[in-house]
Amino acid sequence: MAAAHQLTRTTQLLLLCSLLWTQAPSPVMSSLLSAQTEDFIDWWQHAVFYQIYPRSFKDSNGDGIGDLQGVIFKLPYLAETGITATWLSPIFQSPMVDFGYDISDYKSIQPEYGSMTDFEQLVNTATSLGIKIILDFVPNHTSDQHEWFIKSAARDPLYDNFYIWADGKLDNQGVRQPPNNWQSVFYGSAWQWHEQREQYYLHQFTKEQPDLNFRNPAVVRAMDDVLLFWLNKGVAGFRIDALNHLFEDEALPDEPLNGKTTDPLSYDYTQHIYTKDLPEVLTMVQHWRQLLDDYTDKHSEGATRIMMTEAYAGLQVLMDYYEDAGGVRGSQLPFNFHFITDVNENSDARDFVYNIEKWLIYMPRGHTANWVMGNHDKPRVATRFGPTSVDAMNMLLLTLPGVAVTYNGEELGMQDYREISWEDTVDPPARNAGKLDYMKESRDPVRTPFQWNNATNAGFSTAAKTWLPVNPNYLVLNLEAQKQAVKSHYKVYKSLIELRKLPVLRRGRFSIEPLSRAVFAFKRTLKDYNTLVTIINVSAKEQLVNLTDFINRPQKLVVEVAGVDSVYAPGDFSFLTNNRTDNPQLRLAPRAGLVLSYEQSGMSVQRRLMVKQLIKSFNVVLVALLMYNLWRHKWTKVNFN
Ligand SMILES: [Ca+2]
Ligand SMILES: [Ca+2]
């Protein structure tokens, strides 16, 4: 009996152990769970959106102007770089007063850019290379050459109310004046007298860009029709231009003065409370979202069709675009311009951390963050933060959670060309500012042709003269040179895109801290994967960084990506592991960054999986032992009886 009792106890113990071990998920189960989580990441949620400015990207026929065949020719370059999504500045028929943002026919391609056949070829080639095409949608205004405007000016009953028309008023001297004190974003009154119609029309941008009247349902329908036209051509969505200028107060009241300037023609003269961010804007965003979702549902063979929206607006306005308080969804990607507007080369580490955190804190649950590092309207990274900061800013952009938006040329660290003469200046706000002040307003310096190589016109065009001059620094700063160099901004950029494929960057958790006034660091963590840490020195001085507290003494740190000025190279790890002190220090060059990885538990993923496999095998042995014990116990009992 004693022996039998002993055996029963062993059996119980074994049974308990067996039960405990079967609670641990098997590696197979873990990978199934990961796969399910992965399925929730839609194509756009982790994409790098590469903005092409077609006029300056590549000229295929030697007229000095970039075109669609040029874009097609360079699509393999994007694929090779790892880009899977683009957005193209406008390619539609336009008198080019504002370089395509003044559209005279939304459904035609601008002839100097190519034909509809070229566009179809562009979509097909992009699709075959795994690249999605997003088009620029410019709803606020048309060109004054658009048929709708011509008919509206002629009071055609179908188009009479398509634009914002108003009578002027007479001043004390009996001279006709605009209806109110609103100014154009590009300087001067926002009102232009139209001789034929004998009324003023509103233009928030140039006088050749009359504002559409979105309070007229016929305008909404006409613009929906434009969206559907391009969706049927196979585009994956739209970047929506100047969104927050869409509506104005119908009563046309004067705006209160701002106090920033005494010049009544400057856009800074008034506070734009009646011409910007009106609540009606949100209803249009939600309307377009519905249109895109309906289209995706009906054409499920294609990808989710998305919108990204351009609005330099307050944080709460932008968050409502994502999803309003009632849970109605709008823009998938309300552009986050905070790296452009809220930090500069004088910002310290705390400013960056605050800037990044505020977006994530305000963003409604279940939405995707986005980070825009540049565009065709704002100075380039090398000019805003200094040329030595290019790699660090790309590390920041590409290792933060969510979507990254890169303006063409930023992968090379292209620089603003600020020596463009008044004679060569073409940008409307610069021309409006006049010969003395044009460079303060000009966007031409950020729009110069792409620097492909050191041949004529940087390989952009064979023309004697290009539409904007090429930055003469192309002789040294060009893609070809950066591909050949051992270290280059392009190589750093490309390795970061490669790194983005890691699950930890696709869906890892995020935490960030300023380590000092000069340096901040953030980490991305995901169960079963190495943790990634990005460290950025935003100061103009070299920094020695102690990471001990931030990463909780990992056993081994490995450099994943280092900038061109770094003393470290990818694969380096000895600088921390061989350090015998408790004070390991990293050396960061001025305005440099580093991306590191470490094994969170001190055990590699492979080793951890091996241990799990061992546990599973051990479990099988235990069950066998248990069975054996049960059998033997029964046999013993029988014998005793
Ligand atoms: Ca051309
Ligand atoms: Ca408007």
Side-chain angles (χ1 to χ4, degrees):
M1 279 303 283
H5 184 66
Q6 189 62 41
L7 278 172
T8 311
R9 259 186 167 176
T10 315
T11 307
Q12 280 170 346
L13 194 67
L14 284 171
L15 191 64
L16 182 70
C17 290
S18 171
L19 271 172
L20 279 175
W21 261 304
T22 43
Q23 295 308 304
S26 69
V28 176
M29 202 172 151
S30 301
S31 65
L32 275 177
L33 286 171
S34 312
Q36 277 168 1
T37 317
E38 187 74 357
D39 284 342
F40 285 101
I41 297 179
D42 206 351
W43 71 268
W44 56 273
Q45 290 181 295
H46 191 59
V48 178
F49 284 85
Y50 184 90
Q51 179 191 353
I52 295 174
Y53 193 73
R55 203 171 179 80
S56 286
F57 200 55
K58 172 68 185 171
D59 171 22
S60 71
N61 62 350
D63 64 355
I65 296 168
D67 45 54
L68 296 188
Q69 281 301 332
V71 174
I72 295 167
F73 182 64
K74 292 298 185 184
L75 282 174
Y77 160 66
L78 297 188
E80 169 196 327
T81 307
I83 300 289
T84 54
T86 63
W87 77 265
L88 275 72
S89 283
I91 52 172
F92 317 107
Q93 188 182 296
S94 163
M96 291 289 155
V97 169
D98 192 19
F99 299 100
Y101 286 94
D102 50 320
I103 296 166
S104 52
D105 182 352
Y106 286 97
K107 295 181 185 173
S108 296
I109 301 290
Q110 168 71 355
E112 64 192 345
Y113 292 161
S115 64
M116 194 58 82
T117 312
D118 292 325
F119 180 74
E120 285 158 0
Q121 189 191 342
L122 173 79
V123 171
N124 290 338
T125 310
T127 306
S128 69
L129 290 168
I131 298 172
K132 302 267 190 316
I133 299 288
I134 302 281
L135 289 182
D136 210 335
F137 179 58
V138 186
N140 180 64
H141 45 262
T142 67
S143 160
D144 61 350
Q145 304 301 307
H146 197 292
E147 155 186 48
W148 300 341
F149 186 73
I150 294 166
K151 287 181 172 172
S152 190
R155 294 187 189 266
D156 179 325
L158 287 177
Y159 297 92
D160 191 22
N161 209 13
F162 253 54
Y163 294 83
I164 318 280
W165 295 100
D167 296 326
K169 50 189 184 189
L170 296 178
D171 65 13
N172 296 338
Q173 280 82 43
V175 179
R176 189 181 56 231
Q177 297 294 343
N180 60 31
N181 70 349
W182 297 354
Q183 310 87 3
S184 147
V185 175
F186 289 164
Y187 195 80
S189 172
W191 296 97
Q192 178 68 28
W193 180 254
H194 198 283
E195 286 296 343
Q196 184 191 2
R197 177 149 165 157
E198 297 189 318
Q199 269 190 312
Y200 284 94
Y201 64 85
L202 178 77
H203 60 92
Q204 289 219 38
F205 295 86
T206 73
K207 65 179 172 26
E208 293 85 2
Q209 293 166 298
D211 275 47
L212 281 165
N213 174 16
F214 270 86
R215 297 184 197 281
N216 177 355
V219 169
V220 176
R221 280 196 301 273
M223 294 305 271
D224 284 357
D225 191 45
V226 170
L227 293 173
L228 291 168
F229 177 84
W230 292 107
L231 286 170
N232 286 334
K233 293 272 175 207
V235 306
F238 302 93
R239 172 264 186 191
I240 300 180
D241 178 67
L243 177 64
N244 48 344
H245 297 272
L246 215 54
F247 285 87
E248 298 80 19
D249 192 305
E250 279 184 290
L252 312 183
D254 273 348
E255 289 186 324
L257 302 196
N258 199 329
K260 282 189 191 168
T261 169
T262 53
D263 179 358
L265 296 179
S266 163
Y267 191 62
D268 285 340
Y269 188 63
T270 62
Q271 296 171 40
H272 305 290
I273 58 172
Y274 300 126
T275 53
K276 226 174 144 183
D277 296 324
L278 267 60
E280 292 89 333
V281 173
L282 185 58
T283 58
M284 278 313 303
V285 171
Q286 293 168 348
H287 168 80
W288 289 325
R289 173 62 181 267
Q290 193 62 52
L291 182 146
L292 291 170
D293 284 355
D294 289 348
Y295 193 91
T296 301
D297 288 346
K298 278 185 206 148
H299 301 82
S300 53
E301 77 287 354
T304 307
R305 276 64 161 195
I306 61 149
M307 75 166 113
M308 44 219 304
T309 45
E310 185 212 28
Y312 290 88
L315 197 53
Q316 298 192 12
V317 169
L318 296 173
M319 295 302 146
D320 279 351
Y321 290 167
Y322 269 127
E323 183 176 332
D324 70 10
V328 182
R329 291 181 166 229
S331 174
Q332 279 94 344
L333 299 168
F335 276 156
N336 171 1
F337 292 127
H338 291 159
F339 285 140
I340 297 175
T341 56
D342 290 28
V343 282
N344 56 47
E345 62 181 337
N346 299 317
S347 303
D348 73 21
R350 299 167 302 182
D351 299 321
F352 274 87
V353 171
Y354 176 66
N355 183 54
I356 292 162
E357 291 258 68
K358 71 182 176 192
W359 188 273
L360 298 172
I361 288 168
Y362 272 82
M363 186 172 73
R365 283 259 155 196
H367 288 269
T368 303
N370 75 85
W371 316 93
V372 183
M373 200 47 96
N375 60 37
H376 61 296
D377 287 334
K378 303 290 177 185
R380 286 183 175 278
V381 166
T383 304
R384 294 204 312 275
F385 299 104
T388 53
S389 65
V390 168
D391 295 329
M393 290 301 128
N394 280 332
M395 287 175 199
L396 175 60
L397 177 70
L398 296 169
T399 57
L400 284 169
V403 163
V405 187
T406 289
Y407 176 52
N408 58 199
E410 293 292 7
E411 72 274 34
L412 313 181
M414 271 178 64
Q415 299 169 5
D416 289 5
Y417 179 41
R418 301 192 61 81
E419 311 305 318
I420 299 175
S421 68
W422 165 248
E423 288 70 30
D424 283 341
T425 291
V426 291
D427 187 29
R431 298 299 307 182
N432 287 349
K435 198 173 174 176
L436 282 180
D437 289 327
Y438 75 96
M439 198 33 82
K440 275 190 250 168
E441 303 296 329
S442 186
R443 297 169 297 174
D444 290 339
V446 308
R447 298 175 176 182
T448 57
F450 194 97
Q451 294 165 208
W452 296 103
N453 54 44
N454 64 3
T456 308
N457 297 321
F460 161 69
S461 170
T462 55
K465 190 174 163 63
T466 53
W467 81 281
L468 271 181
V470 177
N471 190 328
N473 71 6
Y474 78 90
L475 289 170
V476 284
L477 201 169
N478 64 68
L479 175 68
E480 200 51 45
Q482 294 202 11
K483 278 186 170 179
Q484 281 164 18
V486 178
K487 288 180 173 187
S488 70
H489 298 315
Y490 175 69
K491 285 190 170 170
V492 169
Y493 184 84
K494 198 178 166 189
S495 61
L496 286 162
I497 292 210
E498 185 61 28
L499 199 68
R500 276 175 77 83
K501 293 176 184 162
L502 289 175
V504 70
L505 283 187
R506 289 173 64 81
R507 53 201 162 86
R509 290 192 68 83
F510 171 80
S511 64
I512 186 166
E513 276 176 41
L515 303 184
S516 67
R517 292 188 185 203
V519 176
F520 67 92
F522 58 85
K523 60 187 152 192
R524 304 291 308 276
T525 50
L526 185 66
K527 192 171 175 291
D528 291 337
Y529 292 94
N530 288 356
T531 296
L532 280 191
V533 179
T534 300
I535 313 164
I536 310 278
N537 171 14
V538 294
S539 79
K541 288 183 183 157
E542 186 188 70
Q543 300 290 327
L544 290 174
V545 184
N546 183 345
L547 277 178
T548 317
D549 290 339
F550 186 67
I551 55 181
N552 204 12
R553 297 190 188 194
Q555 301 195 340
K556 190 162 108 182
L557 267 174
V558 180
V559 175
E560 296 288 346
V561 184
V564 295
D565 298 327
S566 182
V567 294
Y568 308 114
D572 280 359
F573 60 88
S574 56
F575 57 88
L576 268 185
T577 43
N578 289 349
N579 198 316
R580 286 169 182 275
T581 71
D582 274 345
N583 219 8
Q585 288 191 318
L586 275 172
R587 190 177 289 271
L588 278 180
R591 302 198 193 278
L594 266 182
V595 183
L596 308 160
S597 69
Y598 68 90
E599 296 159 5
Q600 204 168 15
S601 65
M603 194 192 285
S604 75
V605 178
Q606 289 79 0
R607 249 182 297 165
R608 227 179 299 165
L609 286 176
M610 220 166 74
V611 169
K612 277 189 179 176
Q613 198 61 49
L614 271 173
I615 291 171
K616 202 182 166 193
S617 313
F618 186 51
N619 212 14
V620 173
V621 175
L622 273 177
V623 172
L625 264 172
L626 175 76
M627 298 299 286
Y628 171 74
N629 269 317
L630 279 171
W631 171 79
R632 211 178 134 190
H633 175 51
K634 198 179 168 193
W635 176 80
T636 312
K637 261 181 152 178
V638 170
N639 263 335
F640 270 106
N641 288 340

